[in-house]
Amino acid sequence: MKKILFTVILFWGTFMFAQEALTYQKPPQEILELAEAPLAPSMRMDENGENFVFLYRSNFKNIEELSETEMRLGGLRINPKTNISSRQRYFTNIKVRVGRTSKEETAAGLPENGRYSNFSWSPNQKMMAFTNTVSNGVELWILDIEAKAVKKITDATLNANTGMPFSWFKDSNSLLVKTISKDKKPLIDTKTAVPTGPTISVSEQGVKAQNRTYQDLLKNKSDEHNFEQLALAELHKVDLNGNKIVWKGNDMYRGMSFSPDGDYILVTTIEKPFSYLVPYSRFPSKTTIYNADGNLIKTMLEIPLIEDLPKGFMAVRKGKRNLSWRADKPATLFWCEALDEGDPAKEVDFRDEVFELNTPFDGKATSIVKTIGRFSGIQWGNSSTAIAYDYWWNTRNTKTYIFNPSNNSVNPKIISDRNYQDTYSDPGNFVTKRNEFGRNTLSINKDKAYLIGDGYSKSGKFPFVDEFSLKNLKTKRLYQSKLTDKVEGIIDALDIKKGEIIVRIESKNEYPNYYIRNIKRSLNPVSLTTFENPFKSIQNVHKEVIKYKRDDGLELSGTLYLPTNYEKGKKYPMVMWAYPE
């Protein structure tokens, strides 16, 4: 009996020691190299296709990132120590190429272990602004394209909790930046704080309100306090040397948008009361127009708390929605309004009507188009041509309209009417180019526009370029990929008049790389990049889909991978990973 007891105690002591010494383990070097191999970089290109920025990131977050604090408030998931979304994906390296045929180089001056996001070209495209997240906050940095170098222009004071924390002024010499409020109060630790009273929700008698189930809503007064402190910010005008002046004081800023000519700014703020039923996007808000110096021009929109809407996924609120700037005019606002009072159960000929209002924003708004379904956006072209889109969730229908925004007496024409879940029938997206305001508008050449599509079919994916006649509304195929042993994707049109497009090509054994393809010439695409395949050691692994029937007749499938040195007839150990779909 004593012998047995001794054995048990010895085992327990060994077990406790093993637990104390246990740390995270790493796999063999061969596997680690594959796991840590960087993904194919994302490419940002200037309008002339001469200068390129390549952004690299890892496929995984490290232990430190996964262990960071997260607060879930009003539909947001925030890291309260860094003041940016806790789910933000970061790039870890930046390379620059000046000239198509040059070699990309790592940007000089990058901080060690940087975490980069929120990249934005300057209006003159000579620079690119981005944020770097450090342990105590978010910094603003500038990349000088020609110098291939970066520099920090603010400390870790940016407030990115409610989205993009900066926007360029038109002169490319300054940025409008959201910074943490100097009056920010300490956050309440809701795990230890003692409630001072009950949480009370008041329902208006006789009013029925049906809402979806939302995640991460506010639950009590402590949550309200924390949300307000994390949303509070100041707006500063910061120049490229880091000099700053206060542009606007404390408020809960949700968004800011410059007019195309840079003379006006739409600023949207979150207002009170908050809600425990809906996320912050449905809290009260106010949208105001200021000039570039910060002087008040006009309050354009005040939206009350939206807790009750008619029944249905296509229900919307009454009043102005989707307030934004026309991309083809210096300073013209447009928005839509529901013609069915936001109630999808009402039978009407048109669901939404779109209006525009020119500067100085004190005249009468002009109706420019009506949509049969819910309005979802406009691709602006010029004074006589624009493309509008709508959708209707109940039928999965989407329509595309071509219309004259200067003449509402001419009925818009429907150029596409399809099920948006049917990828085979997708006509593609219209090609755009930067206009004199630096905004993307339709690329129009002698009454011709252009479409780029993914080209999904039963036979595979074969992307295409179509020419679209603005007169007879017919399309003509200019190019379609014929690659069957590789996958080609059309990234953008470089110069559609010359037939130059940017494509990305990859295959089972060929790492993704970018090329310039001329669809007017029968030439091989010209290589833009020559990224090495980090998975060379396994590129010849055999892969096939196998199918079999279970005893009850249900067909199952699986993907079988065989080692590079596989010999038929020889037995090998197998690792099986099974999971339900």
Side-chain angles (χ1 to χ4, degrees), residues 28-88:
Q29 187 63 28
E30 296 85 356
I31 297 177
L32 189 63
E33 289 176 356
L34 295 175
E36 294 184 340
L39 299 174
S42 172
M43 183 179 72
R44 308 291 173 90
M45 175 183 67
D46 68 6
E47 64 175 318
N48 297 318
E50 292 296 334
N51 298 324
F52 303 84
V53 177
F54 298 96
L55 306 175
Y56 295 78
R57 68 178 177 87
S58 171
N59 201 23
F60 305 100
K61 288 189 174 185
N62 58 37
I63 297 298
E64 288 79 7
E65 289 178 304
L66 293 172
S67 302
E68 289 178 336
T69 304
E70 179 180 75
M71 296 186 75
R72 301 184 177 191
L73 299 166
L76 293 172
R77 297 183 179 185
I78 296 169
N79 182 332
K81 292 184 178 180
T82 56
N83 289 290
I84 194 171
S85 170
S86 56
R87 304 303 174 95
Q88 180 70 48

Side-chain angles (χ1 to χ4, degrees), residues 363-379:
K364 183 178 179 181
T366 302
S367 172
I368 56 175
V369 70
K370 296 179 181 179
T371 58
I372 297 171
R374 281 282 174 252
F375 171 77
S376 60
I378 290 181
Q379 186 69 65

Side-chain angles (χ1 to χ4, degrees), residues 533-562:
N533 185 1
F535 306 107
K536 280 185 178 180
S537 61
I538 60 170
Q539 69 179 12
N540 293 319
V541 166
H542 176 76
K543 173 184 174 181
E544 65 177 281
V545 176
I546 57 174
K547 296 182 179 181
Y548 61 98
K549 285 190 177 181
R550 211 164 58 183
D551 291 342
D552 60 2
L554 180 66
E555 186 178 78
L556 301 176
S557 65
T559 305
L560 175 67
Y561 295 88
L562 298 176

Side-chain angles (χ1 to χ4, degrees), residues 257-267 287-292 295-301 320 323-327 329-335 355-366 439:
S257 171
F258 279 86
S259 61
D261 63 6
D263 290 345
Y264 302 96
I265 308 173
L266 274 180
V267 176
T287 300
T288 306
I289 305 175
Y290 297 93
N291 66 17
N295 298 316
L296 174 66
I297 302 299
K298 182 179 182 179
T299 296
M300 275 299 300
L301 184 59
K320 298 181 181 71
L323 182 66
S324 188
W325 299 104
R326 274 190 65 161
K329 287 194 173 184
T332 297
L333 289 168
F334 76 97
W335 65 87
F355 297 87
E356 71 172 15
L357 181 64
N358 294 315
T359 181
F361 318 112
D362 56 3
K364 183 178 179 181
T366 302
R439 303 298 175 93

